[in-house]
PDB file of all heavy atoms in Angstrom:
ATOM      1  N   LEU H   1     -22.932  -8.060 -11.480  1.00 64.00           N
ATOM      2  CA  LEU H   1     -21.651  -7.867 -12.160  1.00 64.00           C
ATOM      3  C   LEU H   1     -21.864  -7.333 -13.565  1.00 64.00           C
ATOM      4  O   LEU H   1     -21.112  -6.473 -14.038  1.00 64.00           O
ATOM      5  CB  LEU H   1     -20.885  -9.191 -12.210  1.00 64.00           C
ATOM      6  CG  LEU H   1     -19.504  -9.153 -12.858  1.00 64.00           C
ATOM      7  CD1 LEU H   1     -18.594  -8.200 -12.103  1.00 64.00           C
ATOM      8  CD2 LEU H   1     -18.893 -10.556 -12.900  1.00 64.00           C
ATOM      9  N   SER H   2     -22.906  -7.826 -14.236  1.00 63.00           N
ATOM     10  CA  SER H   2     -23.217  -7.338 -15.574  1.00 63.00           C
ATOM     11  C   SER H   2     -23.578  -5.854 -15.539  1.00 63.00           C
ATOM     12  O   SER H   2     -23.187  -5.091 -16.419  1.00 63.00           O
ATOM     13  CB  SER H   2     -24.375  -8.157 -16.160  1.00 63.00           C
ATOM     14  OG  SER H   2     -24.772  -7.632 -17.399  1.00 63.00           O
ATOM     15  N   THR H   3     -24.317  -5.452 -14.495  1.00 62.00           N
ATOM     16  CA  THR H   3     -24.721  -4.052 -14.368  1.00 62.00           C
ATOM     17  C   THR H   3     -23.550  -3.145 -14.019  1.00 62.00           C
ATOM     18  O   THR H   3     -23.419  -2.035 -14.519  1.00 62.00           O
ATOM     19  CB  THR H   3     -25.805  -3.917 -13.271  1.00 62.00           C
ATOM     20  OG1 THR H   3     -26.888  -4.799 -13.574  1.00 62.00           O
ATOM     21  CG2 THR H   3     -26.324  -2.494 -13.177  1.00 62.00           C
ATOM     22  N   LEU H   4     -22.663  -3.653 -13.152  1.00 71.00           N
ATOM     23  CA  LEU H   4     -21.594  -2.814 -12.612  1.00 71.00           C
ATOM     24  C   LEU H   4     -20.299  -2.852 -13.417  1.00 71.00           C
ATOM     25  O   LEU H   4     -19.440  -1.994 -13.240  1.00 71.00           O
ATOM     26  CB  LEU H   4     -21.269  -3.263 -11.177  1.00 71.00           C
ATOM     27  CG  LEU H   4     -22.394  -3.128 -10.156  1.00 71.00           C
ATOM     28  CD1 LEU H   4     -21.996  -3.792  -8.856  1.00 71.00           C
ATOM     29  CD2 LEU H   4     -22.734  -1.674  -9.921  1.00 71.00           C
ATOM     30  N   SER H   5     -20.158  -3.839 -14.288  1.00 75.00           N
ATOM     31  CA  SER H   5     -18.887  -4.004 -15.000  1.00 75.00           C
ATOM     32  C   SER H   5     -18.524  -2.772 -15.823  1.00 75.00           C
ATOM     33  O   SER H   5     -17.345  -2.376 -15.891  1.00 75.00           O
ATOM     34  CB  SER H   5     -18.935  -5.243 -15.903  1.00 75.00           C
ATOM     35  OG  SER H   5     -19.991  -5.131 -16.844  1.00 75.00           O
ATOM     36  N   ALA H   6     -19.520  -2.136 -16.446  1.00 73.00           N
ATOM     37  CA  ALA H   6     -19.252  -0.926 -17.229  1.00 73.00           C
ATOM     38  C   ALA H   6     -18.736   0.195 -16.335  1.00 73.00           C
ATOM     39  O   ALA H   6     -17.770   0.886 -16.672  1.00 73.00           O
ATOM     40  CB  ALA H   6     -20.519  -0.478 -17.957  1.00 73.00           C
ATOM     41  N   HIS H   7     -19.372   0.352 -15.154  1.00 75.00           N
ATOM     42  CA  HIS H   7     -18.928   1.387 -14.221  1.00 75.00           C
ATOM     43  C   HIS H   7     -17.506   1.132 -13.741  1.00 75.00           C
ATOM     44  O   HIS H   7     -16.679   2.044 -13.681  1.00 75.00           O
ATOM     45  CB  HIS H   7     -19.876   1.440 -13.019  1.00 75.00           C
ATOM     46  CG  HIS H   7     -21.244   1.938 -13.340  1.00 75.00           C
ATOM     47  ND1 HIS H   7     -21.598   3.264 -13.249  1.00 75.00           N
ATOM     48  CD2 HIS H   7     -22.353   1.285 -13.767  1.00 75.00           C
ATOM     49  CE1 HIS H   7     -22.870   3.410 -13.583  1.00 75.00           C
ATOM     50  NE2 HIS H   7     -23.350   2.225 -13.907  1.00 75.00           N
ATOM     51  N   ILE H   8     -17.204  -0.113 -13.396  1.00 80.00           N
ATOM     52  CA  ILE H   8     -15.870  -0.456 -12.887  1.00 80.00           C
ATOM     53  C   ILE H   8     -14.816  -0.224 -13.964  1.00 80.00           C
ATOM     54  O   ILE H   8     -13.726   0.286 -13.681  1.00 80.00           O
ATOM     55  CB  ILE H   8     -15.852  -1.922 -12.398  1.00 80.00           C
ATOM     56  CG1 ILE H   8     -16.791  -2.084 -11.202  1.00 80.00           C
ATOM     57  CG2 ILE H   8     -14.434  -2.345 -12.020  1.00 80.00           C
ATOM     58  CD1 ILE H   8     -17.004  -3.525 -10.764  1.00 80.00           C
ATOM     59  N   THR H   9     -15.127  -0.580 -15.200  1.00 80.00           N
ATOM     60  CA  THR H   9     -14.182  -0.382 -16.302  1.00 80.00           C
ATOM     61  C   THR H   9     -13.867   1.096 -16.490  1.00 80.00           C
ATOM     62  O   THR H   9     -12.708   1.486 -16.654  1.00 80.00           O
ATOM     63  CB  THR H   9     -14.760  -0.958 -17.612  1.00 80.00           C
ATOM     64  OG1 THR H   9     -15.116  -2.334 -17.410  1.00 80.00           O
ATOM     65  CG2 THR H   9     -13.740  -0.870 -18.737  1.00 80.00           C
ATOM     66  N   VAL H  10     -14.902   1.928 -16.453  1.00 81.00           N
ATOM     67  CA  VAL H  10     -14.703   3.378 -16.595  1.00 81.00           C
ATOM     68  C   VAL H  10     -13.855   3.925 -15.457  1.00 81.00           C
ATOM     69  O   VAL H  10     -12.962   4.751 -15.667  1.00 81.00           O
ATOM     70  CB  VAL H  10     -16.071   4.104 -16.645  1.00 81.00           C
ATOM     71  CG1 VAL H  10     -15.890   5.611 -16.498  1.00 81.00           C
ATOM     72  CG2 VAL H  10     -16.775   3.789 -17.955  1.00 81.00           C
ATOM     73  N   VAL H  11     -14.114   3.465 -14.247  1.00 84.00           N
ATOM     74  CA  VAL H  11     -13.347   3.908 -13.074  1.00 84.00           C
ATOM     75  C   VAL H  11     -11.868   3.582 -13.238  1.00 84.00           C
ATOM     76  O   VAL H  11     -10.996   4.425 -12.986  1.00 84.00           O
ATOM     77  CB  VAL H  11     -13.910   3.259 -11.792  1.00 84.00           C
ATOM     78  CG1 VAL H  11     -12.931   3.425 -10.625  1.00 84.00           C
ATOM     79  CG2 VAL H  11     -15.260   3.869 -11.429  1.00 84.00           C
ATOM     80  N   VAL H  12     -11.557   2.373 -13.686  1.00 84.00           N
ATOM     81  CA  VAL H  12     -10.157   1.964 -13.865  1.00 84.00           C
ATOM     82  C   VAL H  12      -9.496   2.791 -14.959  1.00 84.00           C
ATOM     83  O   VAL H  12      -8.361   3.265 -14.800  1.00 84.00           O
ATOM     84  CB  VAL H  12     -10.072   0.460 -14.193  1.00 84.00           C
ATOM     85  CG1 VAL H  12      -8.643   0.073 -14.570  1.00 84.00           C
ATOM     86  CG2 VAL H  12     -10.548  -0.367 -13.009  1.00 84.00           C
ATOM     87  N   PHE H  13     -10.192   2.983 -16.073  1.00 81.00           N
ATOM     88  CA  PHE H  13      -9.644   3.785 -17.178  1.00 81.00           C
ATOM     89  C   PHE H  13      -9.360   5.226 -16.735  1.00 81.00           C
ATOM     90  O   PHE H  13      -8.349   5.815 -17.111  1.00 81.00           O
ATOM     91  CB  PHE H  13     -10.616   3.812 -18.360  1.00 81.00           C
ATOM     92  CG  PHE H  13     -10.439   2.663 -19.310  1.00 81.00           C
ATOM     93  CD1 PHE H  13     -11.532   1.919 -19.724  1.00 81.00           C
ATOM     94  CD2 PHE H  13      -9.189   2.326 -19.798  1.00 81.00           C
ATOM     95  CE1 PHE H  13     -11.376   0.859 -20.600  1.00 81.00           C
ATOM     96  CE2 PHE H  13      -9.026   1.268 -20.676  1.00 81.00           C
ATOM     97  CZ  PHE H  13     -10.116   0.531 -21.081  1.00 81.00           C
ATOM     98  N   PHE H  14     -10.260   5.796 -15.930  1.00 82.00           N
ATOM     99  CA  PHE H  14     -10.119   7.196 -15.538  1.00 82.00           C
ATOM    100  C   PHE H  14      -9.041   7.383 -14.472  1.00 82.00           C
ATOM    101  O   PHE H  14      -8.197   8.280 -14.573  1.00 82.00           O
ATOM    102  CB  PHE H  14     -11.456   7.730 -15.020  1.00 82.00           C
ATOM    103  CG  PHE H  14     -11.400   9.160 -14.551  1.00 82.00           C
ATOM    104  CD1 PHE H  14     -11.430  10.203 -15.463  1.00 82.00           C
ATOM    105  CD2 PHE H  14     -11.312   9.472 -13.195  1.00 82.00           C
ATOM    106  CE1 PHE H  14     -11.372  11.532 -15.047  1.00 82.00           C
ATOM    107  CE2 PHE H  14     -11.253  10.795 -12.765  1.00 82.00           C
ATOM    108  CZ  PHE H  14     -11.285  11.819 -13.686  1.00 82.00           C
ATOM    109  N   PHE H  15      -9.057   6.544 -13.444  1.00 84.00           N
ATOM    110  CA  PHE H  15      -8.185   6.779 -12.296  1.00 84.00           C
ATOM    111  C   PHE H  15      -6.777   6.228 -12.474  1.00 84.00           C
ATOM    112  O   PHE H  15      -5.841   6.740 -11.838  1.00 84.00           O
ATOM    113  CB  PHE H  15      -8.813   6.187 -11.032  1.00 84.00           C
ATOM    114  CG  PHE H  15      -9.909   7.029 -10.469  1.00 84.00           C
ATOM    115  CD1 PHE H  15     -11.233   6.737 -10.743  1.00 84.00           C
ATOM    116  CD2 PHE H  15      -9.626   8.123  -9.680  1.00 84.00           C
ATOM    117  CE1 PHE H  15     -12.252   7.514 -10.235  1.00 84.00           C
ATOM    118  CE2 PHE H  15     -10.637   8.909  -9.164  1.00 84.00           C
ATOM    119  CZ  PHE H  15     -11.955   8.612  -9.435  1.00 84.00           C
ATOM    120  N   GLY H  16      -6.602   5.203 -13.305  1.00 81.00           N
ATOM    121  CA  GLY H  16      -5.270   4.643 -13.500  1.00 81.00           C
ATOM    122  C   GLY H  16      -4.228   5.682 -13.885  1.00 81.00           C
ATOM    123  O   GLY H  16      -3.235   5.886 -13.164  1.00 81.00           O
ATOM    124  N   PRO H  17      -4.426   6.390 -15.001  1.00 80.00           N
ATOM    125  CA  PRO H  17      -3.460   7.429 -15.398  1.00 80.00           C
ATOM    126  C   PRO H  17      -3.341   8.554 -14.375  1.00 80.00           C
ATOM    127  O   PRO H  17      -2.242   9.057 -14.130  1.00 80.00           O
ATOM    128  CB  PRO H  17      -4.024   7.947 -16.726  1.00 80.00           C
ATOM    129  CG  PRO H  17      -4.865   6.835 -17.246  1.00 80.00           C
ATOM    130  CD  PRO H  17      -5.462   6.186 -16.037  1.00 80.00           C
ATOM    131  N   CYS H  18      -4.454   8.967 -13.763  1.00 80.00           N
ATOM    132  CA  CYS H  18      -4.416  10.066 -12.776  1.00 80.00           C
ATOM    133  C   CYS H  18      -3.503   9.719 -11.607  1.00 80.00           C
ATOM    134  O   CYS H  18      -2.685  10.542 -11.177  1.00 80.00           O
ATOM    135  CB  CYS H  18      -5.828  10.350 -12.246  1.00 80.00           C
ATOM    136  SG  CYS H  18      -6.879  11.257 -13.370  1.00 80.00           S
ATOM    137  N   ILE H  19      -3.653   8.513 -11.102  1.00 79.00           N
ATOM    138  CA  ILE H  19      -2.865   8.104  -9.936  1.00 79.00           C
ATOM    139  C   ILE H  19      -1.382   8.067 -10.282  1.00 79.00           C
ATOM    140  O   ILE H  19      -0.531   8.549  -9.520  1.00 79.00           O
ATOM    141  CB  ILE H  19      -3.343   6.729  -9.423  1.00 79.00           C
ATOM    142  CG1 ILE H  19      -4.748   6.864  -8.816  1.00 79.00           C
ATOM    143  CG2 ILE H  19      -2.374   6.156  -8.396  1.00 79.00           C
ATOM    144  CD1 ILE H  19      -5.406   5.550  -8.456  1.00 79.00           C
ATOM    145  N   ILE H  20      -1.047   7.516 -11.451  1.00 78.00           N
ATOM    146  CA  ILE H  20       0.366   7.411 -11.840  1.00 78.00           C
ATOM    147  C   ILE H  20       0.969   8.793 -12.067  1.00 78.00           C
ATOM    148  O   ILE H  20       2.083   9.081 -11.631  1.00 78.00           O
ATOM    149  CB  ILE H  20       0.510   6.538 -13.096  1.00 78.00           C
ATOM    150  CG1 ILE H  20       0.081   5.105 -12.793  1.00 78.00           C
ATOM    151  CG2 ILE H  20       1.952   6.548 -13.601  1.00 78.00           C
ATOM    152  CD1 ILE H  20       0.044   4.188 -14.004  1.00 78.00           C
ATOM    153  N   VAL H  21       0.246   9.683 -12.735  1.00 75.00           N
ATOM    154  CA  VAL H  21       0.775  11.020 -13.056  1.00 75.00           C
ATOM    155  C   VAL H  21       1.028  11.836 -11.803  1.00 75.00           C
ATOM    156  O   VAL H  21       2.057  12.508 -11.672  1.00 75.00           O
ATOM    157  CB  VAL H  21      -0.190  11.771 -13.997  1.00 75.00           C
ATOM    158  CG1 VAL H  21       0.186  13.246 -14.079  1.00 75.00           C
ATOM    159  CG2 VAL H  21      -0.158  11.146 -15.388  1.00 75.00           C
ATOM    160  N   TYR H  22       0.100  11.787 -10.832  1.00 76.00           N
ATOM    161  CA  TYR H  22       0.200  12.679  -9.683  1.00 76.00           C
ATOM    162  C   TYR H  22       0.851  12.054  -8.453  1.00 76.00           C
ATOM    163  O   TYR H  22       1.213  12.775  -7.517  1.00 76.00           O
ATOM    164  CB  TYR H  22      -1.188  13.216  -9.316  1.00 76.00           C
ATOM    165  CG  TYR H  22      -1.728  14.139 -10.371  1.00 76.00           C
ATOM    166  CD1 TYR H  22      -2.741  13.736 -11.231  1.00 76.00           C
ATOM    167  CD2 TYR H  22      -1.202  15.415 -10.530  1.00 76.00           C
ATOM    168  CE1 TYR H  22      -3.232  14.584 -12.214  1.00 76.00           C
ATOM    169  CE2 TYR H  22      -1.670  16.266 -11.511  1.00 76.00           C
ATOM    170  CZ  TYR H  22      -2.689  15.838 -12.345  1.00 76.00           C
ATOM    171  OH  TYR H  22      -3.158  16.672 -13.325  1.00 76.00           O
ATOM    172  N   VAL H  23       1.010  10.744  -8.413  1.00 72.00           N
ATOM    173  CA  VAL H  23       1.644  10.108  -7.264  1.00 72.00           C
ATOM    174  C   VAL H  23       3.008   9.549  -7.636  1.00 72.00           C
ATOM    175  O   VAL H  23       3.835   9.279  -6.775  1.00 72.00           O
ATOM    176  CB  VAL H  23       0.741   8.987  -6.698  1.00 72.00           C
ATOM    177  CG1 VAL H  23       1.351   8.375  -5.441  1.00 72.00           C
ATOM    178  CG2 VAL H  23      -0.629   9.548  -6.359  1.00 72.00           C
ATOM    179  N   TRP H  24       3.269   9.397  -8.928  1.00 66.00           N
ATOM    180  CA  TRP H  24       4.545   8.850  -9.399  1.00 66.00           C
ATOM    181  C   TRP H  24       5.702   9.685  -8.870  1.00 66.00           C
ATOM    182  O   TRP H  24       5.675  10.912  -8.961  1.00 66.00           O
ATOM    183  CB  TRP H  24       4.557   8.868 -10.931  1.00 66.00           C
ATOM    184  CG  TRP H  24       5.673   8.075 -11.548  1.00 66.00           C
ATOM    185  CD1 TRP H  24       6.809   8.559 -12.120  1.00 66.00           C
ATOM    186  CD2 TRP H  24       5.745   6.660 -11.668  1.00 66.00           C
ATOM    187  NE1 TRP H  24       7.588   7.545 -12.587  1.00 66.00           N
ATOM    188  CE2 TRP H  24       6.963   6.357 -12.322  1.00 66.00           C
ATOM    189  CE3 TRP H  24       4.905   5.612 -11.269  1.00 66.00           C
ATOM    190  CZ2 TRP H  24       7.357   5.053 -12.588  1.00 66.00           C
ATOM    191  CZ3 TRP H  24       5.294   4.320 -11.540  1.00 66.00           C
ATOM    192  CH2 TRP H  24       6.495   4.048 -12.189  1.00 66.00           C
ATOM    193  N   PRO H  25       6.724   9.063  -8.298  1.00 51.00           N
ATOM    194  CA  PRO H  25       7.789   9.832  -7.644  1.00 51.00           C
ATOM    195  C   PRO H  25       8.674  10.635  -8.594  1.00 51.00           C
ATOM    196  O   PRO H  25       9.451  11.456  -8.149  1.00 51.00           O
ATOM    197  CB  PRO H  25       8.615   8.752  -6.927  1.00 51.00           C
ATOM    198  CG  PRO H  25       8.341   7.497  -7.678  1.00 51.00           C
ATOM    199  CD  PRO H  25       6.926   7.619  -8.162  1.00 51.00           C
ATOM    200  N   PHE H  26       8.587  10.380  -9.906  1.00 50.00           N
ATOM    201  CA  PHE H  26       9.392  11.130 -10.870  1.00 50.00           C
ATOM    202  C   PHE H  26       8.447  11.783 -11.879  1.00 50.00           C
ATOM    203  O   PHE H  26       8.263  11.273 -12.990  1.00 50.00           O
ATOM    204  CB  PHE H  26      10.377  10.211 -11.591  1.00 50.00           C
ATOM    205  CG  PHE H  26      11.237   9.430 -10.648  1.00 50.00           C
ATOM    206  CD1 PHE H  26      10.972   8.092 -10.395  1.00 50.00           C
ATOM    207  CD2 PHE H  26      12.313  10.023 -10.012  1.00 50.00           C
ATOM    208  CE1 PHE H  26      11.759   7.367  -9.524  1.00 50.00           C
ATOM    209  CE2 PHE H  26      13.112   9.305  -9.145  1.00 50.00           C
ATOM    210  CZ  PHE H  26      12.838   7.974  -8.889  1.00 50.00           C
ATOM    211  N   PRO H  27       7.820  12.905 -11.526  1.00 52.00           N
ATOM    212  CA  PRO H  27       6.733  13.484 -12.327  1.00 52.00           C
ATOM    213  C   PRO H  27       7.159  14.076 -13.656  1.00 52.00           C
ATOM    214  O   PRO H  27       6.333  14.600 -14.369  1.00 52.00           O
ATOM    215  CB  PRO H  27       6.181  14.579 -11.404  1.00 52.00           C
ATOM    216  CG  PRO H  27       7.321  14.942 -10.525  1.00 52.00           C
ATOM    217  CD  PRO H  27       8.100  13.685 -10.328  1.00 52.00           C
ATOM    218  N   THR H  28       8.462  14.015 -13.993  1.00 54.00           N
ATOM    219  CA  THR H  28       8.870  14.574 -15.279  1.00 54.00           C
ATOM    220  C   THR H  28       9.258  13.494 -16.281  1.00 54.00           C
ATOM    221  O   THR H  28       9.843  13.794 -17.315  1.00 54.00           O
ATOM    222  CB  THR H  28      10.062  15.534 -15.087  1.00 54.00           C
ATOM    223  OG1 THR H  28      11.128  14.843 -14.430  1.00 54.00           O
ATOM    224  CG2 THR H  28       9.660  16.735 -14.244  1.00 54.00           C
ATOM    225  N   LEU H  29       8.947  12.255 -15.980  1.00 57.00           N
ATOM    226  CA  LEU H  29       9.254  11.192 -16.938  1.00 57.00           C
ATOM    227  C   LEU H  29       8.334  11.291 -18.154  1.00 57.00           C
ATOM    228  O   LEU H  29       7.176  11.704 -18.029  1.00 57.00           O
ATOM    229  CB  LEU H  29       9.088   9.818 -16.279  1.00 57.00           C
ATOM    230  CG  LEU H  29      10.196   9.393 -15.301  1.00 57.00           C
ATOM    231  CD1 LEU H  29       9.855   8.040 -14.701  1.00 57.00           C
ATOM    232  CD2 LEU H  29      11.554   9.332 -15.989  1.00 57.00           C
ATOM    233  N   PRO H  30       8.815  10.891 -19.353  1.00 62.00           N
ATOM    234  CA  PRO H  30       7.992  10.985 -20.567  1.00 62.00           C
ATOM    235  C   PRO H  30       6.697  10.194 -20.506  1.00 62.00           C
ATOM    236  O   PRO H  30       5.771  10.472 -21.253  1.00 62.00           O
ATOM    237  CB  PRO H  30       8.924  10.431 -21.656  1.00 62.00           C
ATOM    238  CG  PRO H  30      10.303  10.614 -21.121  1.00 62.00           C
ATOM    239  CD  PRO H  30      10.193  10.457 -19.637  1.00 62.00           C
ATOM    240  N   ILE H  31       6.628   9.195 -19.615  1.00 69.00           N
ATOM    241  CA  ILE H  31       5.409   8.389 -19.528  1.00 69.00           C
ATOM    242  C   ILE H  31       4.204   9.254 -19.196  1.00 69.00           C
ATOM    243  O   ILE H  31       3.069   8.928 -19.556  1.00 69.00           O
ATOM    244  CB  ILE H  31       5.577   7.258 -18.479  1.00 69.00           C
ATOM    245  CG1 ILE H  31       4.426   6.260 -18.574  1.00 69.00           C
ATOM    246  CG2 ILE H  31       5.669   7.840 -17.068  1.00 69.00           C
ATOM    247  CD1 ILE H  31       4.583   5.068 -17.655  1.00 69.00           C
ATOM    248  N   ASP H  32       4.452  10.391 -18.504  1.00 70.00           N
ATOM    249  CA  ASP H  32       3.350  11.299 -18.159  1.00 70.00           C
ATOM    250  C   ASP H  32       2.568  11.739 -19.385  1.00 70.00           C
ATOM    251  O   ASP H  32       1.338  11.825 -19.366  1.00 70.00           O
ATOM    252  CB  ASP H  32       3.892  12.551 -17.464  1.00 70.00           C
ATOM    253  CG  ASP H  32       4.268  12.281 -16.015  1.00 70.00           C
ATOM    254  OD1 ASP H  32       4.299  11.106 -15.637  1.00 70.00           O
ATOM    255  OD2 ASP H  32       4.527  13.247 -15.287  1.00 70.00           O
TER     256      ASP H  32
END
């Protein structure tokens, strides 16, 4: 867990916004 925690954190930071921006049903909201 100590070894992988950095990788998992980076994955969440990178993919979280990507998923919301491109899968969000209202792609023109200011949150983008």
